[in-house]
Amino acid sequence: MTDLSVQIGDLSLRNPILTASGTFGYASEYETMVDFSKIGGVITKGISPEPRLGNPQPRIWETESGLINAIGLDNVGVKDFELSKLDYLREINCAVVVNFFAESTEGYATLAHTLGAMVGVDALEANISCPNVKSGGREFGVDPAAAADVTRASREATNCPLIVKLSPDVSNIGEIASAVADAGADAITVANSIPAMAIDIDSRRPRLSFGRGGLTGPAVRPIVTRLVYESAQATNIPIIASGGASSWRDVVEFMLAGASAVQAGTVNFVNPRASVEMAEGLETYCRQNGINSLEQLVGAVNMP
Amino acid sequence: MTDLSVQIGDLSLRNPILTASGTFGYASEYETMVDFSKIGGVITKGISPEPRLGNPQPRIWETESGLINAIGLDNVGVKDFELSKLDYLREINCAVVVNFFAESTEGYATLAHTLGAMVGVDALEANISCPNVKSGGREFGVDPAAAADVTRASREATNCPLIVKLSPDVSNIGEIASAVADAGADAITVANSIPAMAIDIDSRRPRLSFGRGGLTGPAVRPIVTRLVYESAQATNIPIIASGGASSWRDVVEFMLAGASAVQAGTVNFVNPRASVEMAEGLETYCRQNGINSLEQLVGAVNMP
Amino acid sequence: MPALSRIPLEAVEEAGGGCLRLVCAPASIVAPIPGQFYMVRGPWEADPLLPRPFSIARFRTVKDEQVQLEFLLRIVGRGTRLLGTAHAGIELDVLGPLGNGFEQPPGDSAWMVAGGIGIAPFPALTDAIATSKRTLSLLVGARTEAEIPGFVDFETNLTGGVEIATDDGSAGFAGTVVDLLASRLQRATEARPSQIYVCGPHPMLEAAAAVCAGAGIPCSVSLEAPMGCGMGTCRGCVIQTFQDTNFTVCTEGPVTDANVIWSSKPAP
Amino acid sequence: MPALSRIPLEAVEEAGGGCLRLVCAPASIVAPIPGQFYMVRGPWEADPLLPRPFSIARFRTVKDEQVQLEFLLRIVGRGTRLLGTAHAGIELDVLGPLGNGFEQPPGDSAWMVAGGIGIAPFPALTDAIATSKRTLSLLVGARTEAEIPGFVDFETNLTGGVEIATDDGSAGFAGTVVDLLASRLQRATEARPSQIYVCGPHPMLEAAAAVCAGAGIPCSVSLEAPMGCGMGTCRGCVIQTFQDTNFTVCTEGPVTDANVIWSSKPAP
Ligand SMILES: Cc1cc2nc3c(=O)[nH]c(=O)nc-3n(C[C@H](O)[C@H](O)[C@H](O)COP(=O)(O)OP(=O)(O)OC[C@H]3O[C@@H](n4cnc5c(N)ncnc54)[C@H](O)[C@@H]3O)c2cc1C
Ligand SMILES: Cc1cc2nc3c(=O)[nH]c(=O)nc-3n(C[C@H](O)[C@H](O)[C@H](O)COP(=O)(O)OP(=O)(O)OC[C@H]3O[C@@H](n4cnc5c(N)ncnc54)[C@H](O)[C@@H]3O)c2cc1C
Ligand SMILES: Cc1cc2nc3c(=O)[nH]c(=O)nc-3n(C[C@H](O)[C@H](O)[C@H](O)COP(=O)(O)O)c2cc1C
Ligand SMILES: Cc1cc2nc3c(=O)[nH]c(=O)nc-3n(C[C@H](O)[C@H](O)[C@H](O)COP(=O)(O)O)c2cc1C
Ligand code: FES
Ligand code: FES
């Protein structure tokens, strides 16, 4: 059997398929659908220092092959996460990555410290790129110095493997990727949803209560593939692709572009079993093509 | 009848529908399909100082609700444009905008001077954002100072109305928009195609010979709508939306976000009559909704 | 326990009032509870992307414990248009049953109040209540006569009768179905129902809930909200209750007691 | 003069070798020239986005000067899959006729050489040449017998006969159809054709062109390239000729003399 395992800092994954933050709840929701032992890991909904209700309706709007969301980081908060969600996550047979965000550099550090110390948390993913909240998030993700600061502060606060999730709407993602790598990130996720907007021409109001939102789904995959490629050219730390992956073919494509792992996000809504199907498809593909180690795939695109 | 006319600097358009550069050839190709007197204007394929063959095959690849192209600015060059294309364009009953690009600031200025002096050319659109060529193009479009330089140089070289076409892959398009406005542009086009990439997992080569390409079509519209909105917040010069418009509804949506005119691009391939249908649909919409002047639409979105 | 099944479409039929009946082939799946819903997607490419939520309109168990699902739908946008032009033989991806369904009424009689396509869950509810020999009435409203959805042969079980309301007065009561509800509750001749079930657009539910609260009759509503996942994960369907808490329509609803969402104090 | 027409699909049929016949309803459109093509799109949403190019496989003029178009297609990807599962009654957007078609052969006999679905334009070409009483042969190749496309009832006009080549030797000549062409040209018994028409994948066209050039027989190829617009504007289909000039397949082709694209000097 092909070895699909992936090492990201101190985090070991059985295979490179992770479920993306905000698209897989706290895992228990998919218990009847997903055999967790078939995927690499789950990434939780973004956790904040305090619980958040999120934005009012409407929060999602579908566009051509894409989805715009402005959920507003509706989450249970770190306290309730530990009390009511972590027990379940501890028991599932795959890696558990906790996505988190705060409104200040110190906030990130405090939360990284708290979450990183929880038994059952295998890695942290710092969301420095959420387009859907008024403060915190995206402003850290578009400036290399700010991104490095948040990374460094979080890094110093915990020994837990640290993934930093970047913004896609930058002209030079390589610059941010290497700033974050230098500041101590074990890996980067490329990328969060792409800031977007849709307007109801009848009411003349945005389709989402928040105004803007983040675009995800197959529509954005070609853009994210390019961002993954550019990030891989700029840094040596592992890259986790996130944006539009819908099948094992897309997983292979992202890996060829330079990703070591791939997140299944919006596709979970289209097909809740997608993550397992992606992992199984990847395995079959590797077996049929004589690929013994994923290193033979990562970054193996032949550019002209 | 509703007055759909639009004024962009000294350029008068009968209505706000323009055909996008590179998707409408030199207009004569659509003679049997499009009644030019029903649309605002046509924008030619990008013209360069010398003729260009463009990139080898493959040049286009379809993605979910999108198209990636790396044509490589295949065009007849300015000399042959004047000799063999301009006579036809002079005769058609709508505005003629010539898209152009060069490899240096001086190159832009020289070409702006030459093209701007040609009888029959109603406006120029400077492409400072093409992702599909090795030099020239995009590097001007992601840096406010460089964008301003090219704009200023072109502005000083001609009195012809000057539109500058921006890059979408920037974190702060407003900054570039206002730099270009201050440098003398009459209008900006928001935006060119979004840098993207697709890989053939069998050959492990990019789907396009050039490696990367630009993503267009409905997939990108929500991103471009947001960019139009942000540009409109940052500058007072007219904005021309370009990216994914497929129906008159999309035209209204772009106008609500802040666009004064809208380009029909990839949709011409889906339906060569799309530009006329968009103009007709807009007229009906305005008539049915008691809109006497497009000023009632432009930027009229109610943000939260 | 929701499951994801690929089920061939057996028939697509006009159901009156511009609505369509989608009948699935019998499949080895668990039976739903009336009021539960499914996320449904046809075999198209990535646009439209997401499955669409539909209430179970009717279901029956056929030979070999196979369950046959039936949906009633109104064409309003891109996804329903494609489903409406689908032909027998294509395969649907059907995720469900999802959410919470209706409970049996506490007493002998119950009313169902439908706004337009809000009638969808009521044939199944009627089937379930009819077995318990209760008196059941249906109040159904639409903008105009032509838009009144078909009744899919469940009238026979509507022992309490059917009343129609049209906004334009083209058929039955002239006014909204909530106006009809209020006026019927005031009619002296009418026995008061032990439970009122309401399904329709959000503002109609709120109005009906207020009428029921005023009359002191338990009101069970089936909520609608834009849905991404149907499983509680995307948080797209979450609404805020009068107590400023989140209510996840797909998992805590779609059916819920109205006073969970709106203050049960009657409007002043 | 290309036009954009919305034409109902009258029938979808298996045509052998895994190919399908799409028959359009008669429409008031101009008749194409064999070898021309159409950009075809079904009534789906924005994915797949672009119409797909298909050669006119056959056409006939029916009563009231209506023209009935027929396409032959192989399912290879997303767009052809959707077209293949389309059902009679749906409407297709059909843009064409586009590009340049075949010319009549200069002499009395001609051969048609098809690689797989490259057979598509030849029924129409056969119809057109058959009226002029010339001798016509078809050479058709596929990887294996099961993939040989059907002949759509035009064998009767193939007065020169049909020869088959399969890569795996499962039927007819063992080898590629270009090998078959070369070997047939060398058979002493065979009358040399005045014109050879070739349709198939690009490398096959190039190989066939070299064989024809070696034999000194005019060779007309129908080129394939990814197409966006079919009208010469997107520049997606442009290939470079041996003279380093651009050749726009959709408007200068798809049919062209082979020596416009490849040097007519036979391979050394
Ligand atoms: C729990 C639940 C159960 C349901 N049960 C049923 C049922 O049994 N039967 C049924 O018919 N429906 C039911 N619905 C509603 C149904 O899910 C929606 O009608 C359906 O999802 C619409 O999908 P669509 O793709 O056709 O519309 P979309 O194209 O996705 O549009 C979504 C909504 O936006 C509106 N819209 C679309 N485009 C525009 C535009 N350009 N401008 C303004 N508005 C626009 C549409 O009218 C539609 O209401 C249910 C919903 C829920 C949440
Ligand atoms: C002038 C002209 C005439 C033609 N006439 C005919 C005709 O008469 N009959 C006919 O059947 N065809 C014809 N073709 C070819 C036909 O246009 C293509 O087969 C069709 O466009 C494929 O569309 P699709 O959506 O099914 O494939 P797509 O999904 O768009 O794929 C395009 C190509 O890429 C390949 N591909 C798709 N996905 C992948 C992947 N993941 N990895 C690797 N490769 C992939 C496919 O095999 C296909 O060849 C013609 C082409 C031209 C240019
Ligand atoms: C409904 C929704 C909620 C999301 N919530 C979060 C979140 O809480 N934190 C985060 O970092 N990313 C969040 N994301 C982004 C996803 O994790 C992922 O990066 C993005 O959706 C792109 O991948 P996809 O196209 O596969 O969905 C969310 C995305 C969606 C669609
Ligand atoms: C095939 C193709 C060729 C293009 N060529 C040019 C060009 O020469 N110059 C330019 O400025 N933009 C060019 N563009 C970009 C378009 O003008 C337009 O900005 C873009 O396609 C986005 O709009 P759309 O989504 O409506 O197509 C090209 C786009 C396509 C698809
Ligand atoms: S639909 Fe996703 S949480 Fe309810
Ligand atoms: S297909 Fe667009 S130029 Fe030929």
Short mmCIF file of all heavy atoms in Angstrom, two decimals, chain A residues 131-150:
data_model
loop_
_atom_site.label_atom_id
_atom_site.label_comp_id
_atom_site.label_asym_id
_atom_site.label_seq_id
_atom_site.Cartn_x
_atom_site.Cartn_y
_atom_site.Cartn_z
N PRO A 131 -12.07 37.53 5.80
CA PRO A 131 -12.61 38.76 5.23
C PRO A 131 -13.93 39.19 5.88
O PRO A 131 -14.42 40.25 5.58
CB PRO A 131 -12.85 38.39 3.76
CG PRO A 131 -13.05 36.91 3.73
CD PRO A 131 -12.33 36.35 4.94
N ASN A 132 -14.46 38.40 6.80
CA ASN A 132 -15.84 38.61 7.22
C ASN A 132 -16.06 39.15 8.62
O ASN A 132 -17.10 38.94 9.21
CB ASN A 132 -16.61 37.29 7.09
CG ASN A 132 -16.55 36.78 5.68
OD1 ASN A 132 -16.41 37.56 4.75
ND2 ASN A 132 -16.63 35.48 5.52
N VAL A 133 -15.05 39.79 9.15
CA VAL A 133 -15.24 40.42 10.46
C VAL A 133 -14.67 41.82 10.39
O VAL A 133 -13.80 42.13 9.58
CB VAL A 133 -14.55 39.60 11.58
CG1 VAL A 133 -15.31 38.32 11.84
CG2 VAL A 133 -13.11 39.30 11.25
N LYS A 134 -15.19 42.68 11.24
CA LYS A 134 -14.80 44.10 11.14
C LYS A 134 -13.40 44.34 11.66
O LYS A 134 -12.64 45.13 11.12
CB LYS A 134 -15.82 44.97 11.90
CG LYS A 134 -17.19 44.94 11.22
CD LYS A 134 -17.81 46.33 11.08
CE LYS A 134 -18.97 46.35 10.08
NZ LYS A 134 -20.22 45.76 10.60
N SER A 135 -13.00 43.65 12.73
CA SER A 135 -11.62 43.80 13.16
C SER A 135 -11.03 42.44 13.48
O SER A 135 -11.73 41.51 13.83
CB SER A 135 -11.52 44.71 14.38
OG SER A 135 -12.06 44.05 15.49
N GLY A 136 -9.74 42.33 13.33
CA GLY A 136 -9.11 41.02 13.47
C GLY A 136 -9.15 40.41 12.10
O GLY A 136 -9.98 40.71 11.28
N GLY A 137 -8.24 39.53 11.83
CA GLY A 137 -8.32 38.82 10.57
C GLY A 137 -7.51 39.46 9.47
O GLY A 137 -6.30 39.61 9.59
N ARG A 138 -8.23 39.89 8.43
CA ARG A 138 -7.57 40.13 7.18
C ARG A 138 -6.43 41.16 7.22
O ARG A 138 -5.44 40.99 6.52
CB ARG A 138 -8.61 40.56 6.15
CG ARG A 138 -8.05 40.64 4.77
CD ARG A 138 -9.14 40.88 3.74
NE ARG A 138 -8.54 41.41 2.55
CZ ARG A 138 -8.19 42.67 2.41
NH1 ARG A 138 -8.41 43.52 3.37
NH2 ARG A 138 -7.63 43.09 1.28
N GLU A 139 -6.56 42.19 8.06
CA GLU A 139 -5.48 43.20 7.99
C GLU A 139 -4.12 42.62 8.36
O GLU A 139 -3.09 43.09 7.91
CB GLU A 139 -5.80 44.45 8.83
CG GLU A 139 -5.83 44.25 10.31
CD GLU A 139 -7.24 44.02 10.84
OE1 GLU A 139 -8.05 43.36 10.14
OE2 GLU A 139 -7.53 44.50 11.93
N PHE A 140 -4.13 41.53 9.13
CA PHE A 140 -2.86 40.88 9.45
C PHE A 140 -2.33 40.10 8.25
O PHE A 140 -1.15 39.82 8.14
CB PHE A 140 -3.02 39.90 10.62
CG PHE A 140 -3.41 40.55 11.90
CD1 PHE A 140 -4.68 40.36 12.44
CD2 PHE A 140 -2.51 41.35 12.57
CE1 PHE A 140 -5.04 40.96 13.63
CE2 PHE A 140 -2.86 41.96 13.78
CZ PHE A 140 -4.13 41.76 14.30
N GLY A 141 -3.24 39.72 7.37
CA GLY A 141 -2.87 38.78 6.31
C GLY A 141 -2.35 39.41 5.06
O GLY A 141 -1.82 38.72 4.19
N VAL A 142 -2.50 40.72 4.90
CA VAL A 142 -2.05 41.33 3.66
C VAL A 142 -0.76 42.12 3.82
O VAL A 142 -0.22 42.64 2.85
CB VAL A 142 -3.15 42.22 3.03
CG1 VAL A 142 -4.36 41.37 2.64
CG2 VAL A 142 -3.58 43.34 3.97
N ASP A 143 -0.25 42.18 5.03
CA ASP A 143 0.98 42.93 5.28
C ASP A 143 2.04 41.98 5.85
O ASP A 143 1.84 41.38 6.92
CB ASP A 143 0.67 44.05 6.29
CG ASP A 143 1.93 44.77 6.76
OD1 ASP A 143 2.90 44.84 5.98
OD2 ASP A 143 1.93 45.24 7.91
N PRO A 144 3.16 41.81 5.14
CA PRO A 144 4.15 40.83 5.57
C PRO A 144 4.62 41.05 7.02
O PRO A 144 4.76 40.08 7.77
CB PRO A 144 5.31 41.02 4.59
CG PRO A 144 4.70 41.66 3.39
CD PRO A 144 3.53 42.46 3.87
N ALA A 145 4.82 42.29 7.42
CA ALA A 145 5.33 42.55 8.77
C ALA A 145 4.30 42.16 9.83
O ALA A 145 4.62 41.50 10.83
CB ALA A 145 5.72 44.03 8.91
N ALA A 146 3.05 42.54 9.60
CA ALA A 146 2.00 42.20 10.56
C ALA A 146 1.80 40.69 10.63
O ALA A 146 1.62 40.12 11.70
CB ALA A 146 0.68 42.90 10.17
N ALA A 147 1.85 40.05 9.46
CA ALA A 147 1.69 38.59 9.42
C ALA A 147 2.82 37.92 10.21
O ALA A 147 2.59 36.97 10.97
CB ALA A 147 1.69 38.09 7.98
N ALA A 148 4.02 38.45 10.05
CA ALA A 148 5.16 37.89 10.78
C ALA A 148 5.02 38.11 12.27
O ALA A 148 5.31 37.22 13.08
CB ALA A 148 6.47 38.51 10.26
N ASP A 149 4.52 39.27 12.66
CA ASP A 149 4.33 39.56 14.09
C ASP A 149 3.37 38.57 14.74
O ASP A 149 3.65 38.02 15.81
CB ASP A 149 3.75 40.98 14.28
CG ASP A 149 4.83 42.03 14.17
OD1 ASP A 149 6.03 41.65 14.14
OD2 ASP A 149 4.48 43.22 14.08
N VAL A 150 2.24 38.39 14.11
CA VAL A 150 1.24 37.47 14.66
C VAL A 150 1.82 36.06 14.74
O VAL A 150 1.64 35.34 15.73
CB VAL A 150 -0.04 37.47 13.80
CG1 VAL A 150 -1.00 36.38 14.27
CG2 VAL A 150 -0.71 38.82 13.84
#
